[in-house]
PDB file of all heavy atoms in Angstrom:
ATOM      1  N   GLU A 555     196.604  92.665  36.035  1.00  0.00           N
ATOM      2  CA  GLU A 555     197.558  91.559  36.047  1.00  0.00           C
ATOM      3  C   GLU A 555     198.999  92.045  35.915  1.00  0.00           C
ATOM      4  O   GLU A 555     199.935  91.340  36.294  1.00  0.00           O
ATOM      5  CB  GLU A 555     197.251  90.566  34.915  1.00  0.00           C
ATOM      6  CG  GLU A 555     195.895  89.890  35.011  1.00  0.00           C
ATOM      7  CD  GLU A 555     195.794  88.936  36.190  1.00  0.00           C
ATOM      8  OE1 GLU A 555     196.836  88.634  36.797  1.00  0.00           O
ATOM      9  OE2 GLU A 555     194.673  88.508  36.511  1.00  0.00           O
ATOM     10  N   THR A 556     199.192  93.243  35.365  1.00  0.00           N
ATOM     11  CA  THR A 556     200.550  93.793  35.280  1.00  0.00           C
ATOM     12  C   THR A 556     201.020  94.340  36.621  1.00  0.00           C
ATOM     13  O   THR A 556     202.185  94.729  36.756  1.00  0.00           O
ATOM     14  CB  THR A 556     200.606  94.923  34.237  1.00  0.00           C
ATOM     15  OG1 THR A 556     199.739  95.989  34.648  1.00  0.00           O
ATOM     16  CG2 THR A 556     200.216  94.420  32.865  1.00  0.00           C
ATOM     17  N   GLY A 557     200.121  94.401  37.597  1.00  0.00           N
ATOM     18  CA  GLY A 557     200.466  94.928  38.905  1.00  0.00           C
ATOM     19  C   GLY A 557     199.832  96.263  39.210  1.00  0.00           C
ATOM     20  O   GLY A 557     199.964  96.780  40.325  1.00  0.00           O
ATOM     21  N   ASP A 558     199.126  96.824  38.244  1.00  0.00           N
ATOM     22  CA  ASP A 558     198.484  98.127  38.438  1.00  0.00           C
ATOM     23  C   ASP A 558     197.075  97.915  38.975  1.00  0.00           C
ATOM     24  O   ASP A 558     196.074  98.100  38.275  1.00  0.00           O
ATOM     25  CB  ASP A 558     198.459  98.883  37.112  1.00  0.00           C
ATOM     26  CG  ASP A 558     197.870 100.285  37.251  1.00  0.00           C
ATOM     27  OD1 ASP A 558     197.656 100.733  38.395  1.00  0.00           O
ATOM     28  OD2 ASP A 558     197.603 100.920  36.212  1.00  0.00           O
ATOM     29  N   ALA A 559     196.987  97.524  40.236  1.00  0.00           N
ATOM     30  CA  ALA A 559     195.680  97.266  40.823  1.00  0.00           C
ATOM     31  C   ALA A 559     194.826  98.523  40.878  1.00  0.00           C
ATOM     32  O   ALA A 559     193.612  98.489  40.643  1.00  0.00           O
ATOM     33  CB  ALA A 559     195.855  96.680  42.223  1.00  0.00           C
ATOM     34  N   ALA A 560     195.440  99.644  41.170  1.00  0.00           N
ATOM     35  CA  ALA A 560     194.688 100.898  41.239  1.00  0.00           C
ATOM     36  C   ALA A 560     194.121 101.262  39.870  1.00  0.00           C
ATOM     37  O   ALA A 560     192.968 101.706  39.747  1.00  0.00           O
ATOM     38  CB  ALA A 560     195.580 102.017  41.762  1.00  0.00           C
ATOM     39  N   GLY A 561     194.938 101.083  38.828  1.00  0.00           N
ATOM     40  CA  GLY A 561     194.454 101.361  37.478  1.00  0.00           C
ATOM     41  C   GLY A 561     193.319 100.433  37.088  1.00  0.00           C
ATOM     42  O   GLY A 561     192.354 100.843  36.433  1.00  0.00           O
ATOM     43  N   ALA A 562     193.426  99.155  37.490  1.00  0.00           N
ATOM     44  CA  ALA A 562     192.361  98.204  37.198  1.00  0.00           C
ATOM     45  C   ALA A 562     191.078  98.605  37.901  1.00  0.00           C
ATOM     46  O   ALA A 562     189.983  98.526  37.327  1.00  0.00           O
ATOM     47  CB  ALA A 562     192.783  96.798  37.619  1.00  0.00           C
ATOM     48  N   ALA A 563     191.183  99.041  39.138  1.00  0.00           N
ATOM     49  CA  ALA A 563     189.992  99.457  39.887  1.00  0.00           C
ATOM     50  C   ALA A 563     189.349 100.669  39.234  1.00  0.00           C
ATOM     51  O   ALA A 563     188.118 100.752  39.097  1.00  0.00           O
ATOM     52  CB  ALA A 563     190.369  99.747  41.333  1.00  0.00           C
ATOM     53  N   ALA A 564     190.183 101.646  38.821  1.00  0.00           N
ATOM     54  CA  ALA A 564     189.634 102.851  38.188  1.00  0.00           C
ATOM     55  C   ALA A 564     188.931 102.507  36.874  1.00  0.00           C
ATOM     56  O   ALA A 564     187.852 103.035  36.563  1.00  0.00           O
ATOM     57  CB  ALA A 564     190.755 103.857  37.948  1.00  0.00           C
ATOM     58  N   ALA A 565     189.538 101.600  36.099  1.00  0.00           N
ATOM     59  CA  ALA A 565     188.928 101.200  34.825  1.00  0.00           C
ATOM     60  C   ALA A 565     187.604 100.482  35.055  1.00  0.00           C
ATOM     61  O   ALA A 565     186.625 100.704  34.327  1.00  0.00           O
ATOM     62  CB  ALA A 565     189.893 100.308  34.051  1.00  0.00           C
ATOM     63  N   ARG A 566     187.561  99.634  36.068  1.00  0.00           N
ATOM     64  CA  ARG A 566     186.311  98.930  36.367  1.00  0.00           C
ATOM     65  C   ARG A 566     185.231  99.914  36.814  1.00  0.00           C
ATOM     66  O   ARG A 566     184.056  99.733  36.508  1.00  0.00           O
ATOM     67  CB  ARG A 566     186.548  97.899  37.474  1.00  0.00           C
ATOM     68  CG  ARG A 566     187.477  96.776  37.114  1.00  0.00           C
ATOM     69  CD  ARG A 566     186.820  95.727  36.265  1.00  0.00           C
ATOM     70  NE  ARG A 566     187.717  94.590  36.051  1.00  0.00           N
ATOM     71  CZ  ARG A 566     187.437  93.556  35.270  1.00  0.00           C
ATOM     72  NH1 ARG A 566     186.303  93.518  34.637  1.00  0.00           N
ATOM     73  NH2 ARG A 566     188.293  92.570  35.130  1.00  0.00           N
ATOM     74  N   LYS A 567     185.631 100.928  37.535  1.00  0.00           N
ATOM     75  CA  LYS A 567     184.653 101.917  37.998  1.00  0.00           C
ATOM     76  C   LYS A 567     184.015 102.645  36.826  1.00  0.00           C
ATOM     77  O   LYS A 567     182.787 102.834  36.779  1.00  0.00           O
ATOM     78  CB  LYS A 567     185.337 102.917  38.936  1.00  0.00           C
ATOM     79  CG  LYS A 567     184.386 103.896  39.592  1.00  0.00           C
ATOM     80  CD  LYS A 567     185.121 104.771  40.604  1.00  0.00           C
ATOM     81  CE  LYS A 567     184.141 105.729  41.276  1.00  0.00           C
ATOM     82  NZ  LYS A 567     184.840 106.571  42.292  1.00  0.00           N
ATOM     83  N   ASN A 568     184.823 103.048  35.853  1.00  0.00           N
ATOM     84  CA  ASN A 568     184.280 103.706  34.661  1.00  0.00           C
ATOM     85  C   ASN A 568     183.411 102.746  33.845  1.00  0.00           C
ATOM     86  O   ASN A 568     182.358 103.122  33.331  1.00  0.00           O
ATOM     87  CB  ASN A 568     185.422 104.236  33.798  1.00  0.00           C
ATOM     88  CG  ASN A 568     186.175 105.365  34.471  1.00  0.00           C
ATOM     89  OD1 ASN A 568     185.599 106.102  35.282  1.00  0.00           O
ATOM     90  ND2 ASN A 568     187.453 105.516  34.142  1.00  0.00           N
TER      91      ASN A 568
END
Side-chain angles (χ1 to χ4, degrees):
E555 298 292 348
T556 62
D558 183 10
R566 295 282 186 185
K567 186 175 181 179
N568 293 332

